[in-house]
Amino acid sequence: MDASASQHSPARAIRVRCCIVGGGPAGMMLGYLLGRAGIDVVVLEKHADFFRDFRGDTVHPSTLQVMDELGLIDGFLKLPHQRLQTLDGQFGGTSVRLADLRRLDTKYNFIAFMPQWDFLNFLREAGQRFASLKVMMSTEATDLIRRGEAVAGVRAKTPEGPLDIEADLTIACDGRHSTVRERAGLAVEEIGAPMDVLWFRAGRKADETENLFARVEPGKMMVTFDRGDYWQCAYVIPKGQYDAVKARGLPALRDDIVHMAPILKSGTADLTSFDDVKLLTVAINRLPRWTRPGLLCIGDAAHAMSPIGGVGVNLAVQDAVATANLLADRMSQGCPSEAELDAVRRRREFPVKMTQRMQVIVQNNIVSGALKGGNEPLKVPLLMRLVTALPWLQGMTARFVAIGVRPEHVHSKAVSS
Ligand SMILES: Cc1cc2nc3c(=O)[nH]c(=O)nc-3n(C[C@H](O)[C@H](O)[C@H](O)COP(=O)(O)OP(=O)(O)OC[C@H]3O[C@@H](n4cnc5c(N)ncnc54)[C@H](O)[C@@H]3O)c2cc1C
């Protein structure tokens, strides 16, 4: 252990084969898969529950396929959700179709909208049958335990006091502001994004229906999802402009929203203060190096994605599947070497880079232009015109968004529970 470790004398310590930090989609899926493979694994989640509004709520066909391969799909699809098959938009005055999932030749050809806490609770409950999996809520990793150069677990804060979790392998799934990767000194390569997003809910009356998902006007962009009794809305603003939006005041924001989406007229009454609006500071970044000896980062901790395409949850799940496929067997014998851990980056970096590249293309060709504003009427970008005109291209965009690059399938072993 390092010097700081030797000065620290926790009341308690536990020892596990694998410690996963973070109970988001990456951590909960990986915990499930390792528990299923009989690995002694603990998942630490700093919050007491999964109930946080406005996390990624999109479950794409690639994740539905994984749930199918795990035998969980029937129970999962019994949870309340909405299904989306086409991505239609309004660009200036022109209607565009950006993707058509009905063209996919996959078993699941829809995006399921489900609150992320339902998805995570489902995984947690399903994982309870694995004796080797433990999920510890209200447990926050605050530092690393080191043994020489290697990471040997984490120090955690729990309601019962400090706890050391000694582990052969620590996996950081603690999201885009990862404490673990920061403590490990892993450098983040920022790619950048020209926008931030304001998320809010607007009430929906039963007779309010509209099949529009994206709206673009000079200087403004907005995405709306029909979530049954409410509209989930993402209002896109130029990067760093939230204070300016606040300074103009809530009535001005409501007016802008209703001007773009008249269907939200009554629903925006739900916006009573800026507390009802959540700012997503959009980031696109990735780690050139995902590992240290004894440590691996996956999901947003390894690569924050732009909300374009709503792919963050699904990439996190795909990382988890790849990690279990590549490492579960090896982990039953101890900690994989750093070179073995790096197999996960080698497998997943290409899909991450390709997806981020596409997000940057959309940012540069569509988002930046639209957010510039001005009095000129908006011209539908060539890319969008092509996709709208050629239905087979709508199948390709659907494949990219819904399945992604190099989809993962579950190959890790399942020991009987
Ligand atoms: C407002 C918003 C809207 C989004 N919308 C979409 C969308 O529509 N579709 C989509 O696919 N993606 C969306 N995303 C992105 C998506 O949520 C992420 O890409 C995805 O959740 C990443 O999963 P993850 O498991 O890697 O990390 P996270 O989901 O960030 O999970 C990390 C977990 O670690 C926990 N944690 C953090 N630090 C510690 C610690 N020190 N100790 C213990 N636990 C810790 C956190 O509480 C959290 O539960 C959105 C993100 C935001 C913020």
Side-chain angles (χ1 to χ4, degrees):
M1 289 190 195
D2 64 12
S4 66
S6 56
Q7 284 157 19
H8 165 100
S9 51
R12 301 166 303 136
I14 59 171
R15 169 142 199 93
V16 289
R17 179 57 51 97
C18 178
C19 173
I20 296 172
V21 180
M28 292 307 290
M29 179 56 82
L30 183 58
Y32 183 89
L33 288 164
L34 295 184
R36 175 176 174 269
I39 308 286
D40 177 26
V41 55
V42 64
V43 181
L44 314 182
E45 169 51 50
K46 69 178 176 183
H47 291 103
D49 55 38
F50 299 118
F51 192 83
R52 278 174 300 295
D53 215 347
F54 300 114
R55 303 178 64 152
D57 286 353
T58 49
V59 182
H60 285 209
S62 57
T63 300
L64 295 172
Q65 179 63 35
V66 166
M67 298 299 273
D68 185 311
E69 290 166 14
L70 291 171
L72 298 174
I73 192 74
D74 291 342
F76 183 65
L77 289 179
K78 286 198 182 105
L79 297 175
H81 65 277
Q82 292 82 37
R83 297 181 181 199
L84 186 73
Q85 289 195 298
T86 57
L87 300 184
D88 294 317
Q90 193 78 31
F91 202 94
T94 312
S95 296
V96 290
R97 171 155 290 172
L98 306 174
D100 187 346
L101 277 74
R102 295 169 305 186
R103 293 185 155 268
L104 296 176
D105 54 356
T106 51
K107 192 161 175 189
Y108 303 98
N109 64 356
F110 57 89
I111 294 174
F113 278 88
M114 180 185 293
Q116 199 183 101
W117 59 84
D118 281 349
F119 177 39
L120 298 177
N121 271 326
F122 181 87
L123 283 176
R124 183 184 178 187
E125 276 163 29
Q128 278 169 356
R129 68 175 185 275
F130 304 129
S132 66
L133 165 65
K134 186 169 183 197
V135 177
M136 297 177 69
M137 304 302 286
S138 305
T139 304
E140 178 176 1
T142 52
D143 207 348
L144 299 177
I145 300 172
R146 292 176 193 273
R147 195 160 291 121
E149 288 297 296
V151 174
V154 298
R155 311 234 122 82
K157 204 165 70 182
T158 79
E160 293 79 37
L163 177 69
D164 274 7
I165 297 116
E166 293 173 17
D168 292 330
L169 175 60
T170 301
I171 304 188
C173 299
D174 51 346
R176 48 163 57 199
H177 304 294
S178 170
T179 302
V180 172
R181 81 170 178 212
E182 187 259 316
R183 291 285 191 276
L186 288 168
V188 182
E189 181 191 336
E190 290 294 342
I191 291 149
M195 77 280 199
D196 290 327
V197 178
L198 306 182
W199 288 87
F200 57 90
R201 286 174 180 224
R204 176 180 172 274
K205 294 191 181 135
D207 59 349
E208 288 176 346
T209 52
E210 194 167 63
N211 210 17
L212 266 187
F213 134 90
R215 298 168 169 84
V216 186
E217 286 186 12
K220 300 189 187 81
M221 284 188 76
M222 192 165 144
V223 172
T224 48
F225 304 110
D226 178 350
R227 302 300 303 271
D229 55 355
Y230 67 95
W231 298 98
Q232 186 170 326
C233 309
Y235 186 77
V236 182
I237 59 172
K239 182 119 220 110
Q241 290 300 303
Y242 187 41
D243 284 343
V245 171
K246 275 181 161 171
R248 286 181 63 226
L250 199 60
L253 175 62
R254 276 201 299 247
D255 285 352
D256 283 352
I257 291 165
V258 174
H259 176 75
M260 287 198 87
I263 199 154
L264 300 180
K265 192 168 177 17
S266 66
T268 48
D270 290 358
L271 291 181
T272 56
S273 83
F274 276 101
D275 291 344
D276 298 322
V277 178
K278 304 279 180 295
L279 170 69
L280 166 62
T281 307
V282 176
I284 304 186
N285 64 36
R286 56 182 178 248
L287 302 185
R289 178 177 173 182
W290 294 25
T291 55
R292 292 271 185 225
L295 174 70
L296 168 69
C297 300
I298 64 167
D300 271 19
H303 48 75
M305 311 301 291
S306 158
I308 292 167
V311 293
V313 169
N314 301 283
L315 275 166
V317 168
Q318 298 280 301
D319 281 4
V321 174
T323 302
N325 286 347
L326 290 162
L327 300 179
D329 252 354
R330 175 66 186 78
M331 278 168 69
S332 41
Q333 298 138 40
C335 183
S337 67
E338 192 180 2
E340 287 169 320
L341 294 176
D342 192 45
V344 176
R345 179 194 58 79
R346 294 197 300 274
R347 167 98 195 152
R348 296 298 305 154
E349 197 172 48
F350 177 68
V352 168
K353 283 186 169 172
M354 285 292 290
T355 311
Q356 291 182 330
R357 183 82 205 108
M358 285 306 289
Q359 292 181 324
V360 169
I361 289 173
V362 173
Q363 280 182 181
N364 293 346
N365 288 284
I366 299 172
V367 180
S368 298
L371 289 181
K372 247 187 241 145
N375 297 323
E376 294 288 305
L378 271 184
K379 276 211 217 112
V380 182
L382 178 64
L383 190 68
M384 249 185 201
R385 274 186 279 143
L386 277 175
V387 175
T388 303
L390 301 171
W392 61 270
L393 262 183
Q394 296 161 18
M396 282 180 68
T397 48
R399 179 163 294 280
F400 191 80
V401 170
I403 310 288
V405 179
R406 198 188 272 167
E408 303 291 345
H409 295 280
V410 178
H411 300 305
S412 50
K413 65 180 178 186
V415 297
S416 49
S417 46

